Amino acid sequence: MKPTLPVGIYGITAEKFSCGRDNREVARAMLAGGIRIIQYREKRPDKTFAAMLDECLAIRALTREAGALFIVNDYPDLAMLVDADGVHVGQDDFPPDKVRKLIGPDKIIGLSTHGPEQELAARKSGADYIGVGPIFATRTKSDVCAPVGFAYLDYVVKNSPLPFVAIGGIKENNIGQVLAHGAKTVCLVTEIVGAKDIAETALRLRRMTDVF
Amino acid sequence: MKPTLPVGIYGITAEKFSCGRDNREVARAMLAGGIRIIQYREKRPDKTFAAMLDECLAIRALTREAGALFIVNDYPDLAMLVDADGVHVGQDDFPPDKVRKLIGPDKIIGLSTHGPEQELAARKSGADYIGVGPIFATRTKSDVCAPVGFAYLDYVVKNSPLPFVAIGGIKENNIGQVLAHGAKTVCLVTEIVGAKDIAETALRLRRMTDVF
């Protein structure tokens, strides 16, 4: 059966910002901190496909043990090889209807969106959830568009039937605003993978999402 | 039924070296020049997956019409989405036995190899053909190893049961040596995609392979 997007904190790997810790270690700490969904997001040439496969196999085992979802960014083949729960794609990647043909009906597909037109297209293309952002400016991704601010988030909260994750430049000091605007699932990348104590930080952030 | 590696010239796309011509146009000219196998080799971030998908759909149609094989480099998912005839991978990519799980028994898998140990591993992993090279120094690929010269080519000709394509720095002025050493399928990238008249150049090179 197709899983649904968990509420709470959405974790994403980012080795570059993980202060020397490898993605397995980061994933383990995220899970210890109560995170219920982890997306693996690494790209060539930073990492080879062979290395990504090894890491994803390890993180798949960890997430399965913890009962958490595991999503692979951009690469449906990698997701299939490790039996991930889904694939996340951007606007310039394979479109959701094509990804669906590869991964089948029981996996979830997330699509990054940056405005109302893309939200509508996401519904039509069979995406199971959408990314909404970047809410704030971010330097974690190099190929990112300008912040959409709260205007698009408010639009989605009001108009979209799709589950969504708010993403982009969200930190401990501004997550309250994002939650106040109606986000139930929130992604913080650098704030978590770069934290001194990842598990403790994830737990603290999770408690903030519980308040709303 | 699984196709076999054609003898003659093995064409590879390389938009960067195609003098402003797009990959569809280059593929069409290659086919007009008698090339029976074309590999699509583009990478992010030079090109998005959405753009690669469009190009591969077009080249799949062209190769099918011409009765030529179409191979996708590195990305099994892309190969599956366009029903390519196979996938080519390098030593740092998804290993052939994993690719096989994705694309099934009727598609062919090529593996780049650079020495006898890798040739042996290729057999064990279920590769259908191997790349042998780089024969000469090349600047077409940035992540390429040192030339293996004729020593490894001679080894493969003498010892390997696998069909192979000789590759790396091969030009019109040195292809004769490669053929004299026993190669039946030869890949030239820049020499073809960068040629003023691609079809005419491919035909002329093809005739050289027929002599041996």
Side-chain angles (χ1 to χ4, degrees), chain A residues 113-127:
Chain A
T113 67
H114 315 292
E117 275 184 38
Q118 293 178 355
E119 186 277 330
L120 194 63
R123 294 191 224 177
K124 293 183 180 166
S125 69

Side-chain angles (χ1 to χ4, degrees), chain B residues 61-84:
Chain B
L62 292 169
T63 46
R64 186 159 277 154
E65 199 183 314
L69 295 188
F70 181 47
I71 305 292
V72 172
N73 188 56
D74 285 0
Y75 306 117
D77 42 18
L78 179 55
M80 286 186 279
L81 285 175
V82 304
D83 193 28

Side-chain angles (χ1 to χ4, degrees), chain B residues 150-161:
Chain B
F150 289 118
Y152 178 48
L153 175 59
D154 292 342
Y155 174 90
V156 170
V157 168
K158 192 174 169 194
N159 298 290
S160 183

Side-chain angles (χ1 to χ4, degrees), chain A residues 43-44 48-51 53 57 74-78 80-81 91-95 98-99 101-102, chain B residues 43-44 48-51 53 57 74-78 80-81 91-95 98-99 101-102:
Chain A
K43 289 186 202 293
R44 290 200 313 178
T48 67
F49 280 137
L53 179 59
L57 284 169
D74 285 1
Y75 305 119
D77 42 18
L78 179 54
M80 286 186 279
L81 285 175
Q91 291 289 323
D92 290 334
D93 299 323
F94 298 135
K98 299 288 187 187
V99 175
K101 287 185 186 181
L102 294 171
Chain B
K43 288 184 203 295
R44 291 201 311 176
T48 67
F49 280 136
L53 179 59
L57 284 169
D74 285 0
Y75 306 117
D77 42 18
L78 179 55
M80 286 186 279
L81 285 175
Q91 292 289 322
D92 290 333
D93 299 323
F94 298 135
K98 299 289 187 186
V99 176
K101 287 185 185 181
L102 294 171

Side-chain angles (χ1 to χ4, degrees), chain A residues 42-178:
Chain A
E42 296 290 343
K43 289 186 202 293
R44 290 200 313 178
D46 298 340
K47 213 172 265 282
T48 67
F49 280 137
M52 289 191 233
L53 179 59
D54 284 346
E55 287 192 336
C56 282
L57 284 169
I59 299 172
R60 169 71 290 188
L62 292 169
T63 47
R64 187 159 276 154
E65 198 183 314
L69 295 187
F70 181 48
I71 305 292
V72 172
N73 188 57
D74 285 1
Y75 305 119
D77 42 18
L78 179 54
M80 286 186 279
L81 285 175
V82 304
D83 193 29
D85 298 299
V87 174
H88 189 93
V89 289
Q91 291 289 323
D92 290 334
D93 299 323
F94 298 135
D97 57 326
K98 299 288 187 187
V99 175
R100 180 70 65 202
K101 287 185 186 181
L102 294 171
I103 67 174
D106 297 334
K107 304 293 185 180
I108 60 173
I109 300 174
L111 175 66
S112 299
T113 67
H114 315 292
E117 275 184 38
Q118 293 178 355
E119 186 277 330
L120 194 63
R123 294 191 224 177
K124 293 183 180 166
S125 69
D128 297 296
Y129 75 90
I130 53 174
V132 171
I135 306 295
F136 305 106
T138 173
R139 281 177 299 184
T140 307
K141 284 189 77 180
S142 56
D143 57 342
V144 77
C145 68
V148 298
F150 290 117
Y152 178 47
L153 175 59
D154 292 341
Y155 174 88
V156 170
V157 168
K158 191 174 169 192
N159 299 290
S160 183
L162 291 171
F164 69 91
V165 50
I167 186 171
I170 303 174
K171 308 285 179 192
E172 190 160 354
N173 66 18
N174 62 24
I175 188 174
Q177 301 171 60
V178 179

